[in-house]
Amino acid sequence: MEHDWQVYADNAIAWARQRLGSTAYATRCLAFVEDAYERPNHLEIFGGDFARESAELYAAQNNSGTPPAGAFVFYDNNGELLGRRQNWGHVGLSIGDGHTIHAWDRVRIDHYLEIQSLVTPSGWDSPRLIGWAPIHRIFQGCQPKDWAAVGDAAEAAQRMQAARFGEGAGPT
């Protein structure tokens, strides 16, 4: 499968920007960035079940400095969820010039370093930057997919989250 990384990144960033201010992805940051790439590009990518797991799979710790547009930007983020405290992580999509669009309390844009200073929910530690994963790494093993049959992206992400982690809960 041939890939035009710049087109994929441009499509993902445009899709994500259309959701600025939405609360539909609160606690579903990984679903948000995956949907940003998958939905407009008609592909399915395969990461982990939560952001920290994906950071490990994509070896985000190997990339430092300002992330390029289209990269997934990963953070350690410890908190209490589903009766256990662990590092669930946090992830956003770099839109270039040091800025990242991500699902926190709402879909928002912050400088990738300032995400570490965001107000956290009760029981959660501040996010700490791990590093970033380049587009070509995120797309390893991707497959074509017709997302029309799945329905609304945010609702589908919520259903998948409930199936993986239980109704009404899920990692950031």
Side-chain angles (χ1 to χ4, degrees):
M1 176 183 260
E2 290 242 357
H3 301 287
D4 187 334
W5 305 123
Q6 189 61 53
V7 169
Y8 287 165
D10 291 346
N11 290 344
I13 291 167
W15 186 95
R17 283 182 179 277
Q18 291 172 354
R19 281 137 187 93
L20 277 170
S22 171
T23 58
Y25 281 95
T27 75
R28 291 187 289 280
C29 62
L30 181 61
F32 174 71
V33 298
E34 287 179 346
D35 281 353
Y37 265 115
E38 292 174 333
R39 297 295 180 129
N41 293 305
H42 310 288
L43 296 167
E44 184 172 19
I45 57 177
F46 302 97
D49 283 340
F50 50 95
R52 184 60 175 110
E53 186 177 62
S54 289
E56 292 172 19
L57 289 171
Y58 296 143
Q61 74 280 358
N62 294 338
N63 300 296
S64 60
T66 304
F72 280 6
V73 185
F74 288 98
Y75 302 82
D76 281 323
N77 198 207
N78 294 295
E80 177 86 25
L81 189 63
L82 306 173
R84 65 182 185 252
R85 182 171 177 78
Q86 73 177 53
N87 185 353
W88 297 100
H90 182 64
V91 62
L93 174 64
S94 174
I95 60 173
D97 296 325
H99 289 88
T100 299
I101 190 167
H102 61 115
W104 190 252
D105 54 341
R106 66 190 187 290
V107 175
R108 56 188 285 162
I109 295 174
D110 292 292
H111 189 275
Y112 81 102
L113 294 175
E114 292 173 2
I115 289 173
Q116 298 174 111
S117 301
L118 291 175
V119 174
T120 60
S122 178
W124 286 79
D125 298 338
S126 295
R128 291 176 320 281
L129 181 65
I130 297 170
W132 50 269
I135 301 169
H136 70 273
R137 177 58 190 97
I138 296 162
F139 274 80
Q140 283 183 352
C142 73
Q143 299 291 323
K145 182 162 182 159
D146 178 8
W147 288 98
V150 178
D152 178 74
E155 289 174 10
Q158 190 171 21
R159 286 191 306 271
M160 283 189 353
Q161 173 183 312
R164 287 181 182 161
F165 302 105
E167 194 65 37
T172 60

